[in-house]
Amino acid sequence: MALRGTFVRLFRKQLSNIFRQQKCAHSVAIIGAPFSKGQKRTGVERGPGVIRDAALIDRLSSMDYPIHDFGDLSFTHLAKDEPFMHVPFPRTVGLANKVLAGAVSSAVGAGHTCITLGGDHSLAIGSVQGHYQHCPDLCLIWVDAHADINTPLTSPSGNLHGQSVSFLLKQLQDKMPAVPGFSWVKPFLSSSDLVYIGLRDVDPGEHYILKNCGIQYFTMRDIDKMGIQRVMEVTFDHLLSRKQKPIHLSFDIDAFDPALAPATGTPVNGGLTYREGIYIAEEIHNTGLLSAMDLVEVNPTLGASREAVEATASLAVDVIATSLGQSREGAHISFDKLPSPNMAYKSENEQKVYL
């Protein structure tokens, strides 16, 4: 069995290498989604701004990607939006996600790798739906302290940022009431195409759903026990061993330990270390299959200091850049681009320099 598992991993790696070689040099689309009505704390709508201010565009541009920054979307907060059951702002959240789905669909359809900057995690309903319109066989990797798979009937808070996955999952169709504002959403995701990493705050209803639907998930205890390398191996074996599929990465900054990412709305102690989070992003990039990504829940109003906000935003940029190929080995250039003694001279007024 161990030999077979090794063979499967090597075969998958070969296929991924072929995929990367055949794939044209891709471009990156950046979409800001300044939205906060999926939960009750204000400030998370400023997340896209502080992530941009942490030199996101400069970092990605230095990686030689064509960058298409489409700016921030404009969302309408409906004045008359009565709660549904105990779910606040259902129509506003539904409309915002419909707008985002259209933007992500356009970006993916144009051949870009699409990066959505949140905003709260309810936005994943729209980003994954928009991605699905062009990649119906996608798989979803959800990196988060929380499962976000409550339904309106199981959610303790009613907040839609804790219910995103339930709108997408086919296995929950008969458990979901008709939430106003979401009639356009089509549940398409199979439980076998979903993996969670980093869970450590799961509600009772969510735990039942995870177990009953047979969803693959890794808690922080699993990461402690198995190690992050093995977690990623099992993740890819689960999602990609039968078929190479486009990957949608939905990354909540609260997956990290609050010591690293303090400026977020629902921090939970005992989260990912920097190295674990970056390793996840590196391994996803190495598949050559990342097609769209969300980076959500950076809330600058919840940082105790400017340094706390900057640390959280900088961490978000690191995750995005690593997912797109930034390496801890340093920047790489082709060997034939190295300077030679005959290439490098300064101006006639400066000392001649040989490299």
Side-chain angles (χ1 to χ4, degrees), residues 129-144:
Q129 280 281 325
H131 190 185
Y132 162 75
Q133 291 174 18
H134 292 279
C135 301
D137 60 340
L138 68 82
C139 59
L140 177 60
I141 299 176
W142 195 275
V143 183
D144 200 330

Side-chain angles (χ1 to χ4, degrees), residues 14 18 25 69-70 100 110-111 121 123 156 190-191 204 219 225 234 240 246 250-251 283 292 305 315 324 339:
Q14 272 190 320
I18 293 171
D69 187 353
F70 292 100
L100 177 58
H121 218 165
L123 294 163
S190 171
S191 59
T219 65
K225 182 178 179 180
V234 176
L240 305 175
S250 202
F251 203 115
E283 289 300 288
S305 64
L315 184 57
L324 294 171

Side-chain angles (χ1 to χ4, degrees), residues 4-46:
R4 180 180 179 275
T6 301
F7 175 78
V8 169
R9 285 191 292 274
L10 290 173
F11 181 65
R12 188 185 68 240
K13 189 171 183 179
Q14 272 190 320
L15 287 178
S16 296
N17 288 338
I18 293 171
F19 182 90
R20 284 199 299 271
Q21 290 165 7
Q22 291 178 343
K23 190 176 181 181
C24 296
H26 63 278
S27 55
V28 175
I30 307 294
I31 297 173
F35 186 76
S36 65
K37 293 299 183 182
Q39 45 83 66
K40 297 180 178 72
R41 291 178 179 268
T42 61
V44 73
E45 72 279 0
R46 293 171 53 190

Side-chain angles (χ1 to χ4, degrees), residues 125 128-130 132-133 136 138 163-179 182-191 193:
I125 301 170
V128 179
Q129 280 281 325
Y132 162 75
Q133 291 174 18
L138 68 82
Q163 304 178 45
S164 309
V165 181
S166 63
F167 284 88
L168 306 171
L169 200 64
K170 290 190 295 185
Q171 281 82 356
L172 291 180
Q173 275 186 282
D174 63 342
K175 305 296 183 184
M176 288 291 292
V179 181
F182 289 91
S183 60
W184 60 275
V185 175
K186 178 181 179 181
F188 71 91
L189 188 70
S190 171
S191 59
D193 291 324

Side-chain angles (χ1 to χ4, degrees), residues 77-354:
H77 294 180
L78 301 175
K80 295 183 179 180
D81 191 4
E82 296 299 320
F84 172 76
M85 301 170 58
H86 68 316
V87 174
F89 311 115
R91 298 162 190 84
T92 296
V93 178
L95 178 59
N97 274 284
K98 188 173 184 179
V99 170
L100 177 58
V104 172
S105 177
S106 296
V108 174
H112 306 309
T113 299
C114 185
I115 310 298
T116 299
L117 308 177
D120 70 59
H121 218 165
S122 69
L123 294 163
I125 301 170
S127 66
V128 179
Q129 280 281 325
H131 190 185
Y132 162 75
Q133 291 174 18
H134 292 279
C135 301
D137 60 340
L138 68 82
C139 59
L140 177 60
I141 299 176
W142 195 275
V143 183
D144 200 330
H146 312 88
D148 295 349
I149 200 169
N150 272 305
T151 72
L153 301 172
T154 68
S155 172
S157 69
N159 293 336
L160 283 166
H161 77 157
Q163 304 178 45
S164 309
V165 181
S166 63
F167 284 88
L168 306 171
L169 200 64
K170 290 190 295 185
Q171 281 82 356
L172 291 180
Q173 275 186 282
D174 63 342
K175 305 296 183 184
M176 288 291 292
V179 181
F182 289 91
S183 60
W184 60 275
V185 175
K186 178 181 179 181
F188 71 91
L189 188 70
S190 171
S191 59
S192 61
D193 291 324
L194 168 64
V195 172
Y196 286 98
I197 301 173
L199 297 182
R200 58 192 185 278
D201 186 11
V202 178
D203 293 325
E206 293 180 304
H207 185 263
Y208 178 84
I209 291 168
L210 292 173
K211 293 293 187 181
N212 193 58
C213 293
I215 295 169
Q216 178 73 69
Y217 65 92
F218 299 98
T219 65
M220 286 308 304
R221 174 177 167 79
D222 295 321
I223 293 173
D224 289 343
K225 182 178 179 180
M226 300 168 62
I228 196 63
Q229 177 183 0
R230 182 59 182 155
V231 164
M232 296 311 296
E233 288 175 353
V234 176
T235 293
F236 295 136
D237 283 346
H238 180 79
L239 294 175
L240 305 175
S241 61
R242 293 159 299 180
K243 178 185 177 183
Q244 301 288 282
K245 301 173 184 177
I247 293 174
H248 189 112
L249 171 60
S250 202
F251 203 115
D252 189 320
I253 201 68
D254 74 20
F256 284 103
D257 191 84
L260 297 172
T264 190
T266 50
V268 185
N269 286 332
L272 296 172
T273 66
Y274 181 87
R275 289 164 62 183
E276 288 167 341
I278 294 302
Y279 186 83
I280 291 168
E282 287 173 335
E283 289 300 288
I284 290 173
H285 169 75
N286 288 341
T287 66
L289 297 169
L290 180 65
S291 182
M293 175 182 180
D294 318 314
L295 196 295
V296 299
E297 298 286 357
V298 174
N299 189 332
T301 65
L302 298 178
S305 64
R306 184 185 63 168
E307 290 75 17
V309 174
E310 290 176 350
T312 307
S314 178
L315 184 57
V317 172
D318 286 350
V319 171
I320 295 168
T322 303
S323 298
L324 294 171
Q326 177 181 277
S327 171
R328 283 184 282 180
E329 296 175 0
H332 297 171
I333 61 173
S334 300
F335 186 76
D336 60 5
K337 293 183 180 179
L338 288 174
S340 68
N342 297 324
M343 290 171 57
Y345 294 93
K346 290 189 175 182
S347 68
E348 60 183 0
N349 296 325
E350 296 177 310
Q351 180 181 359
K352 186 183 293 185
V353 176
Y354 296 93

